[in-house]
Amino acid sequence: MKGKPLVSIVSAGLSKFGKLEGLYGREIFAEAVKEAFDRCPNLNPKDDIQALFVGHMGESYEHQGHTGATMADWAGLLHIPATRTETACASSAAALRAGIFAVLSGLYDVVMVGGVEKMTHRTTAEVTEFLAMASDFPFEQWHGITFPGLYALMATAHMHEYGTTEEHLAMVAVKNHHNGFLNPKAHMQKEVTLEKALSSRVVAWPLKLYDCSLITDGASCLIITKPEIARKYTDTPIQIIGSGQASDSIGIYERSSFTSLIAAKIAAKQAYEMAEVKPEDVDVAEVHDCFTIAEIIAYEDLGFCMPGEGGHFIENGETRLDGKHPVNTSGGLKSKGHPVGATGTAQAYEIYLQLTGQAEKRQVKDAKIGLAHNVGGSGATAAVHIFRSE
Ligand SMILES: CC(C)(COP(=O)(O)OP(=O)(O)OC[C@H]1O[C@@H](n2cnc3c(N)ncnc32)[C@H](O)[C@@H]1OP(=O)(O)O)[C@@H](O)C(=O)NCCC(=O)NCCS
């Protein structure tokens, strides 16, 4: 399949991200689906969508499982096969892969993939506990370590090994808040200065408030088709040309490195090889900045810079909107927000806007190749997708 399109994306939808009081997850998902249908008037929602795959991390938030059928019901997609995928914070990248496999198998021509999470009605303590279920129970959760704590371990290791500083971490927050400020759907549309980020309260040292992603409600979806029929639905399809996914030990204590996510490196290698694309060919990327250190590690794992160089990469402005390698033009998980199950396909939504020239104030000039990097938990799952404009 080298360099060949796996599937085309003919439409995409994203709900507003934020604290969406009084709405159920299913209503938020329906908002994303409505946008995808509105963008694609040539598609008949009742007859054309043949299957739904939806990423959702946790039943605990809304006391609601059976997410596939629930979302299909509220999206007006009754009676089609509807299936939930779960790989922690990478749940909707897994939904996207399931959709790709379904189309590539020849069984379906048109499939919807997406993700959803409703989180903000629960307390931070509850959310922290629910999220921690994606880490190892006996050796991590049981001892009280949380995701901020696990990523803080990676940050201190990176600082120790490579001289990365708290300022480098804060620079990621400043950049992503700037991009999120330009994104009307972002949870926190607010610029942040380096001083403010650095002086914010410590959550798990060296990670401070502005080094952490947001607890967010949101949903996202994509409509994917066989490439040969994409133009029946839109004049501006984009193609997915590479897809990779890998896993690693559930506990980070068993890993050979704290400064790199092996699963992300393997997933990236698979996606690059399939797409016949090199890191330097990528015009725009959305990466999994659940904590600022995760974005710095992502630069290195994706080959945008050498191992250990991530701190200098952000410092030199390489990943700003006007830099050579714009990263997280949406605002990322830091500012757009991180409704965990929705994040993977929300990243693909931003790439869809960028490659079809619809990203408005965040538009990267002449963007033709895009990449999305989605991580589950502390890196026990990672998925990478590569996209090309047609
Ligand atoms: C960082 C965190 C602990 C803060 O939660 P909190 O202490 O309960 O904060 P609150 O919700 O009470 O908000 C207090 C203020 O901080 C702001 N705030 C909350 N989280 C923020 C964040 N991540 N970044 C910036 N500001 C944030 C709120 O908007 C609020 O501002 P206001 O006083 O101007 O209204 C929480 O956002 C968090 O756990 N984030 C990480 C989520 C996570 O682990 N995701 C999975 C990753 S694998």
Side-chain angles (χ1 to χ4, degrees):
M1 295 301 288
K2 276 194 172 184
K4 287 197 190 135
L6 305 172
V7 296
S8 292
I9 301 178
V10 297
S11 191
L14 188 79
S15 73
K16 172 78 179 86
F17 272 23
K19 203 172 174 135
L20 307 177
E21 273 173 54
L23 291 180
Y24 281 99
R26 61 189 74 177
E27 295 170 283
I28 302 169
F29 188 70
E31 184 188 325
V33 170
K34 181 175 183 312
E35 183 190 335
F37 287 152
D38 288 350
R39 277 180 183 279
C40 201
N42 293 349
L43 183 128
N44 179 344
K46 283 255 173 284
D47 298 330
D48 289 344
I49 306 283
Q50 296 168 300
L52 170 70
F53 296 96
V54 58
H56 180 222
M57 182 169 167
E59 295 90 340
S60 309
Y61 297 102
E62 293 192 280
H63 211 271
Q64 178 69 63
H66 213 159
T67 311
T70 309
M71 296 306 146
D73 184 4
W74 281 68
L77 296 171
L78 266 185
H79 307 311
I80 62 170
T83 308
R84 168 191 175 185
T85 56
E86 191 278 310
T87 50
C89 310
S91 291
S92 55
L96 174 53
R97 277 174 62 85
I100 292 172
F101 299 155
V103 171
L104 279 179
S105 75
L107 203 55
Y108 303 118
D109 293 340
V110 184
V111 166
M112 177 174 281
V113 299
V116 62
E117 214 77 53
K118 174 77 179 91
M119 306 171 82
T120 67
H121 57 296
R122 307 306 294 250
T123 64
T124 301
E126 286 171 333
V127 170
T128 304
E129 186 179 344
F130 299 158
L131 287 169
M133 289 179 193
S135 65
D136 181 83
F137 179 72
F139 297 109
E140 290 179 340
Q141 292 172 48
W142 183 248
H143 298 276
I145 195 155
T146 60
F147 276 113
L150 288 166
Y151 277 88
L153 292 175
M154 296 185 210
T156 48
H158 211 276
M159 290 162 91
H160 175 72
E161 247 174 76
Y162 300 121
T164 303
T165 63
E166 291 176 70
E167 283 77 8
H168 288 139
L169 302 177
M171 284 170 195
V172 173
V174 171
K175 170 183 72 70
N176 291 353
H177 270 282
H178 172 71
N179 295 349
F181 175 68
L182 302 175
N183 182 354
K185 290 200 174 174
H187 181 160
M188 198 173 268
Q189 290 159 50
K190 173 173 125 178
E191 296 265 15
V192 174
T193 62
L194 193 67
E195 296 67 34
K196 181 157 181 158
L198 279 171
S199 61
S200 62
R201 67 188 143 96
V202 172
V203 174
W205 192 87
L207 304 178
K208 307 170 193 70
L209 184 69
Y210 282 98
D211 292 302
C212 302
S213 57
L214 292 156
I215 294 169
T216 302
D217 308 323
S220 53
C221 70
L222 311 168
I223 301 173
I224 62 174
T225 70
K226 281 200 313 203
E228 308 86 88
I229 62 167
R231 288 199 177 259
K232 190 171 139 192
Y233 299 107
T234 176
D235 294 335
T236 55
I238 69 164
Q239 300 173 336
I240 300 184
I241 53 173
S243 175
Q245 181 180 336
S247 54
D248 200 351
S249 66
I250 184 76
I252 67 168
Y253 55 89
E254 282 190 308
R255 302 198 190 147
S256 53
S257 166
F258 273 10
T259 56
S260 170
L261 300 183
I262 306 298
K265 285 170 97 161
I266 298 170
K269 187 167 183 289
Q270 289 170 357
Y272 282 134
E273 281 181 7
M274 198 182 285
E276 291 190 297
V277 159
K278 295 194 168 51
E280 55 271 27
D281 300 328
V282 174
D283 298 312
V284 57
E286 288 285 299
V287 311
H288 197 92
D289 58 327
C290 53
F291 298 93
T292 48
I293 185 62
E295 178 164 324
I296 288 179
I297 290 176
Y299 299 157
E300 300 170 10
D301 289 344
L302 293 168
F304 295 164
C305 66
M306 297 296 286
E309 288 295 317
H312 296 294
F313 205 59
I314 179 78
E315 188 173 357
N316 296 340
E318 301 273 357
T319 55
R320 290 188 343 201
L321 263 184
D322 58 356
K324 265 196 251 156
H325 305 275
V327 170
N328 282 335
T329 58
S330 69
L333 285 50
K334 172 73 272 279
S335 166
K336 183 183 66 180
H338 186 24
V340 282
T343 285
T345 38
Q347 293 177 320
Y349 173 90
E350 177 71 7
I351 299 294
Y352 171 81
L353 292 188
Q354 289 286 355
L355 300 191
T356 53
Q358 301 182 75
E360 298 180 342
K361 290 182 183 158
R362 321 184 299 284
Q363 184 63 49
V364 171
K365 206 164 160 272
D366 297 329
K368 292 197 169 49
I369 302 277
L371 178 149
H373 155 278
N374 191 197
V375 172
S378 64
T381 295
V384 173
H385 285 94
I386 299 179
F387 308 80
R388 178 171 67 197
S389 60
E390 254 193 47

